[in-house]
Amino acid sequence: MLRRLLRVFLALVAIGFLGYGLAANWDETTTALAAMSPWAVLGSFVAVLVGQFFMLLAWREILAGLGTRVPVRIAGRIMFVGQLGKYIPGAVWAYAAMMDLGRDHGSPPRRTFATISLGLVINLGVAISIAAATLFTLEAVRQAWYFVLLVPVIIVCLHPKVLTWGLNLALRIARREPLESVLPGRTVVVAVAWTALGWLVYGLHIWLVAGRPDLYVVATGAYAFAWATGILTVVVPAGVGVREGALVLVLGPIVGTPAALAVAIVSRLAFTLADAAAAGISFVLGRKPVPGAQAPSSAVAYADQNGSGSTALTPDRNLSGSPEA
């Protein structure tokens, strides 16, 4: 309870600082928001949806590499519906929801847990690498030079054997069964490629609302830097406030603080709406049966892909597969 209250307090502090900056630049920020083209805002939302789709393809590739192959619509239902839990303080909710949904579609909870964790590591590695490659000339980012030190560490950690060893260590500490196989190297390469493409599209959503045709490279790096900063601030749910502050830190010296605040507000709104839209679409499509096929029961699918009918790891019996157990 105390830890949860601390997270809520820190989230409120982050939002408070953002709110203070917004209040101090209220007139200029609202003017910048009003000056934005509705088409640019709509395009920003569409760019986020497309970027999320590429991230889904990377996530599905990892899940398949670990042994569970599902259609894109099913992978979307597991990922997009489950990840709504990230808006609740504590990583356990998103993990638990995705593990439960994965089990319903034949993925053992430890395998879904591994997929979520691997996807996060790959995403973080690609984001930091993009930020380092595109923003190294900016003073604000050079002050956070220690982020760059994570790049070689993450590259080493992306080696299939290192990935498998690390996850099995985490599972062993949690007193859970290890993974059945090593993640194929090809799977890692394909997942990294889809993730990188997703980040390049995410850059479009900042570029469109920034209103500067020459800022695409910086916009992509700025959002990658902001997202990595928010995700590494694990005590704040969904990086609320922290991500926006980092975005303003990078874009402020280039487009002005009021305009950067306006971009940060639209970015958060676009991602929140896109998360809801992706979850809704995936929920509907994921429930739709394949024409002419009889859907097998989740128990049969689970037993077939797990090698046994055991459900000892299922989230409804034990949630300690989460990283906060």
Side-chain angles (χ1 to χ4, degrees):
M1 176 62 73
L2 181 61
R3 186 167 56 181
R4 183 175 298 178
L5 289 175
L6 177 62
R7 287 196 178 100
V8 173
F9 172 74
L10 291 175
L12 291 175
V13 169
I15 294 172
F17 276 110
L18 181 65
Y20 174 78
L22 182 60
N25 298 273
W26 179 257
D27 292 337
E28 297 89 344
T29 303
T30 52
T31 299
L33 282 169
M36 286 183 182
S37 165
W39 291 110
V41 174
L42 178 61
S44 179
F45 169 72
V46 173
V48 171
L49 277 178
V50 175
Q52 286 183 329
F53 178 72
F54 289 137
M55 296 300 183
L56 169 63
L57 295 180
W59 195 88
R60 176 175 174 260
E61 183 69 24
I62 298 169
L63 186 64
L66 291 175
T68 298
R69 298 186 178 276
V70 294
V72 173
R73 61 187 179 84
I74 297 299
R77 187 167 190 257
I78 298 170
M79 176 178 164
F80 290 135
V81 175
Q83 75 173 3
L84 291 179
K86 70 185 179 183
Y87 289 99
I88 304 173
V92 63
W93 305 112
Y95 267 76
M98 294 171 76
M99 289 162 65
D100 192 48
L101 288 166
R103 182 196 59 178
D104 290 344
H105 294 286
S107 178
R110 71 176 180 276
R111 193 178 294 166
T112 308
F113 169 82
T115 301
I116 301 168
S117 302
L118 291 173
L120 183 60
V121 170
I122 290 173
N123 224 330
L124 188 59
V126 174
I128 293 176
S129 299
I130 288 177
T134 57
L135 304 178
F136 64 92
T137 60
L138 300 183
E139 179 62 30
V141 177
R142 285 206 300 266
Q143 293 176 1
W145 58 269
Y146 45 86
F147 272 8
V148 180
L149 297 179
L150 292 175
V151 175
V153 175
I154 292 175
I155 290 175
V156 172
C157 290
L158 287 179
H159 189 282
K161 291 186 178 180
V162 178
L163 279 174
T164 305
W165 176 84
L167 282 170
N168 282 338
L169 177 62
L171 290 167
R172 186 161 60 249
I173 292 173
R175 298 182 181 179
R176 296 293 172 259
E177 298 177 38
L179 294 174
E180 307 95 320
S181 60
V182 175
L183 189 68
R186 177 188 176 280
T187 295
V188 176
V189 172
V190 173
V192 168
W194 282 125
T195 301
L197 184 56
W199 276 108
L200 294 177
V201 176
Y202 278 162
L204 289 173
H205 99 280
I206 297 294
W207 175 71
L208 285 169
V209 294
R212 288 273 300 273
D214 60 326
L215 278 187
Y216 171 70
V217 173
V218 172
T220 303
Y223 186 73
F225 174 76
W227 180 86
T229 303
I231 206 69
L232 289 173
T233 312
V234 294
V235 294
V236 178
V240 176
V242 176
R243 191 169 81 192
E244 287 73 26
L247 196 57
V248 172
L249 180 69
V250 175
L251 292 180
I254 301 173
V255 300
T257 299
L261 280 166
V263 170
I265 291 170
V266 173
S267 173
R268 173 62 70 174
L269 180 62
F271 264 90
T272 301
L273 292 177
D275 283 342
I281 294 170
S282 298
F283 179 79
V284 172
L285 294 180
R287 290 171 60 90
K288 183 180 179 181
V290 178
Q294 182 178 2
S297 68
S298 60
V300 173
Y302 182 93
D304 179 62
Q305 297 202 55
N306 193 34
S308 71
S310 170
T311 58
L313 292 171
T314 54
D316 58 335
R317 297 192 184 189
N318 196 324
L319 287 174
S320 59
S322 72
E324 295 197 357

